[in-house]
Amino acid sequence: MQAAGLAAAVAMGIHASLMLDEPSMHRFDEALVWYGFALLALAVFAWDVKLSVPRSGWRRSLAGFWSDHWIEIVMFSVILGFAVFMRAYKLGVFPPRNALAFEETINGSMAYRILLGERPLFYPVRYLDAVGLWFFGETTFGLRFFGIAMSIATVPVFYLLLRQLVRVPVALFGTALLAAAYWPSLVNRVTSATTFFTMLLAYLLIRGLRNHSALAFMGVGFLAGLISYEYEDIKPVPFYVLGFLGAIAVWQVGGAARRGWRPAREAILSILRKAWRPALAFIVAGGIVAGPLIVGTHLGKDLYLSSLHRQEGDRKARNTPGLFAPNWEQQVRWSVQLFRPLSSGAPKSRLPLSVPNIPVLDPISGILLAAGVVYGALMFFRPHRIFFLGWFAGNLGAGALLLSNWEPWKFCGLLPVGFVLAAFLINDLYSLWLRYKPLLRFSPALLSVAALGVVAYVCFWNADTMFGRVIDNPLVLTEYAHGQSQWYALCDYLRGPGEGRYAYVYNSGDASPRFREPNDTLDQQIGAWSDYLFACHGLDGVSLASSQEAWPLRDVPSGPLTLAFVVAPDALEPLQMSMEQGYPGVSPDLISEGPAGKYYVVAYSLGSEVLKSRQGLYGEYTPLGATAPAATSVDKANSISWTQTKEPLPAPFTVRWTGLVHLEEGGPSLLEAVSGDAARISIDGASAYDGNNVSGLLPTSKPLAAGWHTLEITLDKQTGGGSFSLRWVSADGSTTGLEEQDLFALHPISGWVHESTFSVKQAEQQPGVIEVTSQRIENDMDNGSKAIAGSQLTGVAAVNATLSRETFSSWWSVREANAMSLGLIYAGVSVAVLVDGTPVKQCDAGNNMYPTCNVDVTMTDGRHFVEVRIQAEPNSPWSGARLTVSTPKGPLPEGAVEITPFPKTPE
């Protein structure tokens, strides 16, 4: 039976591997089933557990076990409860429920792709993450669940390991140190560390050596194969196992060889008799689990040493192409400092996995761990010392010497190994005390109280550090305020109402065009979202170049819509004011503060009819001879039939329409009113049409840029009925009627003219570079994404559009003379400020990531023309500027300055 199980396991394992022996490995799931059957067959070969019902019955046996071990069970339960507390308390507050950090976006994307059918041949914990997303939904809790669960499960496994190595009180003490340590709790809340796998491997190894269990060694082989897929920092563990087993064999044979050849031969035969089944179970299990890795390597996939290979470029760039990291001497010092007693913390912290100036170990644990390592080196010949000592020193040295991307968190998995070494020291001291207890006259009760006091201090220090110094640390919270958290928060909100909702999105922290990319197919979704796939899949919408682009909106789809923004705190109020100006009466459905107050997520849920209701012009109807409007409405002024639509007032009356008009392509264009009544049109503050029952086209001062322009129309309606419509007249005399979406109702009109000039590389059939200028009317100066703005150019066959310069201009009506301070934060190479055509100040960005320019200017009462000219930075995704206006005495008084895009009175 056992031989048949072994043969079947080998045959099915080989069969499964042959199924994968093709570049696509598309039969992975089918092969996985065969690998599973192979492991079951191997379990038949390795099974050596004798199950028998106790003569006294299960219930009496359990009662007897409780009677003999109740103190141990109670104390371990308390320790495990504290471990759960450290790892789960304030979960959702830290890490924040709607924020991500470190590699969580990558982990989530990989896990979600597994659910979609991808089968990566590395990092098995990602498959557990996939189970979490499948069971709990695509949420941060689902992503983090198994990392926290595995961290908790490591504690009882660690206790079982110590129970094999040291006395019960020492095992409880050592487990308490691990349960209380805040660093594993911190790391495993963010990333799924694999300490559980390594501790379970160590337990099965020690257990198997004690009872020569083939089943235990099958588990060791299984875990060794699994670990081969993980990060390089734990891949050496199976080699430590092989070295340790080899050392045991050499020690036993070498000891017997001192007595002669015959004893040595008997020792070898004895080892073979005891170890052949465990060895076969170990080798075959490891081979089965590592089968896909072996096949993938055979097919030329870089799997086993992928991280080291990725760092080859860094090594060559630093002229250190050898095996060691370029700054290995410094990394060795950092690595030692991590575990040095009473150290000041990680010398090079990786937020949020470690925090500057906060030690990773409490003072007592640090002293015990360091002493345990030193004692282990001195007593390496004692049972099992060399294995754990080699593991600790080997991983510490490999991480310090080989990896260019040294990070403290990669050494967190060494804490349990170090605590095992500390337990050896404590156990020997405890044994010494038991031996000489009568001479020492040291009360056992006093020793117990001292041990409990030490544990209490360790628990308090770690809990206070975790929940009092780490999770509320501004540096840690800021780590959750980056672009990945912002996108997750946006997508998490947008997925709430369900799929089918169209979204207009602006993220001030990440100039991402993802919503603009096609995502109809799964491949397109993956290409568009990449690392954010698990949070943002299935969403449809468009990225805005700036928050100002929330109005006007053209090509509005039917159905429910969401306008969602991520903005800095100082931009929250201007955003709400801007939305109120564009969509009066609309209030946000969500205002959510991000971690550390670094950003806000603001969302407006609207029906398409709300956005479309602003497509028109704002009309004020005044009876003939009256001075104030008697009625107002938003009218589809592109085409009105007075015979079908009842006028708000009986004729005669005057209607004044205001708003914005869109021009698709820039150039010499005139706007004409077609009506039987007298009409006057002003575009961008300049008269463009004056007709009294006849065509009244007037030449504009300059060609109009593509984009949005201010529009004011005055119509003198003398009789009822008739019609009114608008149309563009081009230079060649051709006309184009306006659509509803070409108009946007706005009253009053205020803000800035924003002109963006792009250098556009044309298509191959039209070689060369041209400049294209687009214009918008914006409520306020705003930072935005020039990458997205370039993609929004219309009417140009552009292969590549590069923003070259921007101009913000407006007319300031100053009520009384005042000294003003203009503060600019801009994105560009340089910025120049002009007042009434005179340069006031120019600032160069230099090497500043967020350049500023402060301008002091005195403005007399009256009207002034203010311009801000920005020379764009070619390699930056950002554009625009942010302006604050104040006086030497403080904030600018409300109403002191009225800012309009063009003069209020046409010139």
Side-chain angles (χ1 to χ4, degrees):
M1 185 69 175
Q2 290 179 337
L6 178 64
V10 173
M12 286 188 285
I14 294 174
H15 174 67
S17 297
L18 291 175
M19 294 173 66
L20 296 177
D21 195 12
E22 55 182 346
S24 65
M25 288 189 170
H26 70 281
R27 301 177 68 185
F28 184 89
D29 288 355
E30 187 179 350
L32 201 62
V33 174
W34 282 102
Y35 281 128
F37 283 135
L39 289 172
L40 288 176
L42 185 62
V44 173
F45 164 75
W47 190 268
D48 51 19
V49 179
K50 296 181 180 179
L51 299 176
S52 60
V53 178
R55 294 181 179 180
S56 58
W58 288 108
R59 185 174 298 179
R60 184 172 295 180
S61 296
L62 289 175
F65 181 83
W66 167 260
S67 177
D68 294 337
H69 300 279
W70 71 270
I71 296 178
E72 178 185 358
I73 295 172
V74 169
M75 295 187 70
F76 174 74
S77 299
V78 172
I79 292 170
L80 183 61
F82 191 79
V84 174
F85 166 77
M86 289 295 295
R87 287 152 180 79
Y89 179 59
K90 287 196 172 182
L91 188 62
V93 175
F94 180 83
R97 184 199 63 80
N98 61 342
L100 303 171
F102 189 51
E103 297 178 347
E104 287 187 305
T105 52
I106 301 173
N107 299 344
S109 175
M110 190 181 299
Y112 188 71
R113 293 185 187 197
I114 290 171
L115 294 181
L116 297 177
E118 291 191 19
R119 297 295 180 262
L121 294 182
F122 41 82
Y123 313 143
V125 291
R126 298 290 84 83
Y127 286 85
L128 292 177
D129 294 340
V131 174
L133 293 184
W134 173 78
F135 191 81
F136 296 105
E138 293 124 41
T139 63
T140 53
F141 181 77
L143 180 63
R144 295 163 179 161
F145 174 79
F146 275 100
I148 297 169
M150 290 170 65
S151 180
I152 294 172
T154 300
V155 175
V157 172
F158 183 73
Y159 179 67
L160 292 176
L161 171 63
L162 289 187
R163 283 283 270 112
Q164 298 292 316
L165 300 172
V166 296
R167 297 175 183 272
V168 171
V170 179
L172 288 169
F173 185 86
T175 304
L177 296 182
L178 178 64
Y182 86 89
W183 199 25
S185 174
L186 181 67
V187 170
N188 284 279
R189 288 180 183 227
V190 181
T191 183
S192 300
T194 50
T195 309
F196 173 78
F197 294 153
T198 55
M199 288 299 101
L200 183 58
L201 180 147
Y203 165 70
L204 292 175
L205 175 65
I206 302 302
R207 181 76 175 176
L209 287 173
R210 283 181 176 269
N211 57 19
H212 309 292
S213 169
L215 193 62
F217 272 94
M218 176 186 164
V220 174
F222 175 88
L223 292 167
L226 206 62
I227 287 171
S228 299
Y229 294 88
E230 283 295 338
Y231 282 104
E232 275 76 352
D233 58 324
I234 69 166
K235 281 182 177 177
V237 173
F239 295 99
Y240 302 150
V241 172
L242 292 174
F244 179 52
L245 295 175
I248 292 175
V250 171
W251 183 273
Q252 292 180 357
V253 174
R258 296 195 197 100
R259 301 192 303 272
W261 161 244
R262 187 180 298 273
R265 179 175 173 273
E266 289 299 325
I268 293 174
L269 292 176
S270 175
I271 292 174
L272 291 176
R273 282 193 298 268
K274 295 177 181 179
W276 72 270
R277 283 185 64 237
L280 281 176
F282 172 79
I283 294 170
V284 176
I288 291 172
V289 177
L293 180 69
I294 296 170
V295 175
T297 304
H298 168 69
L299 294 174
K301 301 178 183 292
D302 186 13
L303 298 174
Y304 193 75
L305 296 176
S306 56
S307 293
L308 288 178
H309 292 161
R310 285 198 304 268
Q311 296 173 14
E312 287 180 1
D314 178 58
R315 299 172 191 274
K316 293 177 181 178
R318 302 193 197 186
N319 296 318
T320 55
L323 187 62
F324 285 179
N327 58 336
W328 65 268
E329 302 98 329
Q330 187 180 43
Q331 291 185 176
V332 169
R333 291 195 297 271
W334 288 345
S335 303
V336 173
Q337 185 174 336
L338 275 176
F339 300 102
R340 194 178 65 195
L342 306 177
S343 70
S344 58
K348 177 189 173 187
S349 297
R350 174 63 187 262
L351 295 165
L353 306 177
S354 57
V355 186
N357 302 318
I358 296 182
V360 298
L361 288 171
D362 61 88
I364 292 178
S365 296
I367 293 172
L368 290 175
L369 189 148
V373 172
V374 174
Y375 182 73
L378 295 174
M379 298 290 178
F380 70 92
F381 51 87
R382 298 283 297 278
H384 310 117
R385 265 63 161 184
I386 190 65
F387 173 62
F388 292 99
L389 180 67
W391 183 346
F392 188 89
N395 273 29
L396 192 69
L401 297 173
L402 301 181
L403 298 181
S404 294
N405 56 341
W406 186 94
E407 297 292 352
W409 71 272
K410 296 181 179 180
F411 299 92
C412 184
L414 287 181
L415 274 188
V417 184
F419 286 145
V420 170
L421 293 171
F424 284 138
L425 169 62
I426 297 170
N427 189 70
D428 286 352
L429 292 175
Y430 182 63
S431 299
L432 193 66
W433 176 80
L434 290 176
R435 183 175 181 179
Y436 296 103
K437 181 170 59 175
L439 298 177
L440 294 175
R441 297 181 181 180
F442 193 77
S443 169
L446 189 59
L447 181 63
S448 299
V449 170
L452 290 174
V454 169
V455 170
Y457 169 79
V458 169
C459 291
F460 173 79
W461 188 97
N462 282 278
D464 179 66
T465 300
M466 179 73 176
F467 304 111
R469 301 174 60 192
V470 172
I471 68 173
D472 294 329
N473 191 297
L475 293 175
V476 174
L477 293 177
T478 300
E479 194 66 19
Y480 285 94
H482 293 164
Q484 58 180 340
S485 290
Q486 297 169 12
W487 273 115
Y488 177 82
L490 272 178
C491 294
D492 184 53
Y493 173 77
L494 292 175
R495 288 193 300 120
E499 297 186 2
R501 177 176 289 267
Y502 195 85
Y504 293 92
V505 171
Y506 171 65
N507 184 352
S508 64
D510 186 0
S512 172
R514 292 180 177 90
F515 269 98
R516 187 168 294 279
E517 298 181 11
N519 61 356
D520 296 330
T521 68
L522 178 60
D523 288 341
Q524 289 174 338
Q525 286 186 26
I526 293 175
W529 286 108
S530 183
D531 289 347
Y532 300 94
L533 182 64
F534 86 102
C536 302
H537 69 91
L539 298 178
D540 191 17
V542 61
S543 289
L544 304 177
S546 72
S547 62
Q548 297 285 346
E549 287 196 352
W551 56 263
L553 289 170
R554 303 178 77 245
D555 301 319
V556 176
S558 59
L561 301 168
T562 296
L563 276 69
F565 309 87
V566 174
V567 295
D570 60 350
L572 177 61
E573 184 176 352
L575 170 66
Q576 293 178 273
M577 293 174 60
S578 176
M579 289 293 293
E580 176 64 28
Q581 182 183 14
Y583 307 104
V586 172
S587 58
D589 293 87
L590 173 73
I591 300 179
S592 176
E593 184 180 10
K598 294 294 183 178
Y599 66 87
Y600 281 89
V601 177
V602 185
Y604 294 79
S605 295
L606 309 171
S608 58
E609 66 279 359
V610 175
L611 274 64
K612 292 181 178 180
S613 69
R614 305 302 297 173
Q615 293 179 348
L617 294 176
Y618 180 83
E620 294 180 322
Y621 291 82
T622 304
L624 187 65
T627 58
T632 61
S633 66
V634 175
D635 301 320
K636 306 299 183 182
N638 60 302
S639 180
I640 298 177
S641 174
W642 298 114
T643 57
Q644 298 180 5
T645 303
K646 182 176 177 61
E647 300 98 322
L649 296 178
F653 60 83
T654 297
V655 57
R656 179 175 178 266
W657 284 307
T658 59
L660 305 177
V661 62
H662 186 266
L663 179 62
E664 185 72 12
E665 297 184 28
S669 300
L670 300 171
L671 189 62
E672 179 183 22
V674 180
S675 174
D677 298 291
R680 295 175 297 281
I681 299 176
S682 294
I683 297 179
D684 291 346
S687 296
Y689 178 86
D690 189 355
N692 186 4
N693 297 313
V694 295
S695 177
L697 296 179
L698 300 175
T700 56
S701 58
K702 63 177 182 178
L704 297 177
W708 291 93
H709 300 263
T710 62
L711 176 63
E712 181 177 336
I713 301 175
T714 302
L715 177 71
D716 296 325
K717 185 71 174 159
Q718 299 298 325
T719 60
S723 63
F724 177 88
S725 63
L726 294 169
R727 63 187 183 186
W728 287 109
V729 181
S730 62
D732 60 5
S734 60
T735 61
T736 304
L738 270 68
E739 300 179 7
E740 291 181 6
Q741 65 177 359
D742 293 330
L743 299 174
F744 186 80
L746 193 62
H747 181 80
I749 298 176
S750 62
W752 298 72
V753 178
H754 180 192
E755 288 188 344
S756 302
T757 301
F758 294 86
S759 298
V760 180
K761 180 182 178 182
Q762 300 189 91
E764 293 182 0
Q765 59 270 26
Q766 294 177 311
V769 177
I770 62 173
E771 283 197 339
V772 177
T773 299
S774 64
Q775 176 178 303
R776 286 183 51 81
I777 308 300
E778 300 187 350
N779 180 63
D780 200 356
M781 293 177 64
D782 191 20
N783 290 104
S785 166
K786 72 181 184 185
I788 301 176
S791 69
Q792 292 173 331
L793 289 174
T794 58
V796 177
V799 175
N800 185 27
T802 304
L803 182 66
S804 56
R805 61 184 181 275
E806 292 180 280
T807 300
F808 292 87
S809 61
S810 61
W811 288 84
W812 293 27
S813 297
V814 181
R815 292 191 174 181
E816 59 181 62
N818 209 335
M820 298 185 186
S821 297
L822 312 183
L824 282 166
I825 302 176
Y826 64 98
V829 176
S830 63
V831 63
V833 179
L834 296 85
V835 177
D836 296 328
T838 302
V840 176
K841 189 171 183 179
Q842 176 170 324
C843 299
D844 296 322
N847 295 324
N848 296 320
M849 183 176 295
Y850 305 104
T852 60
C853 187
N854 297 310
V855 183
D856 295 324
V857 61
T858 300
M859 290 192 180
T860 60
D861 58 331
R863 200 169 56 188
H864 299 275
F865 181 56
V866 178
E867 288 181 278
V868 177
R869 299 175 181 175
I870 302 173
Q871 188 69 31
E873 168 61 53
N875 298 320
S876 171
W878 301 109
S879 60
R882 185 74 53 81
L883 174 68
T884 56
V885 183
S886 61
T887 69
K889 297 180 180 180
L892 190 69
E894 186 175 354
V897 177
E898 183 181 5
I899 300 177
T900 57
F902 296 99
K904 296 185 65 175
T905 303
E907 296 180 337

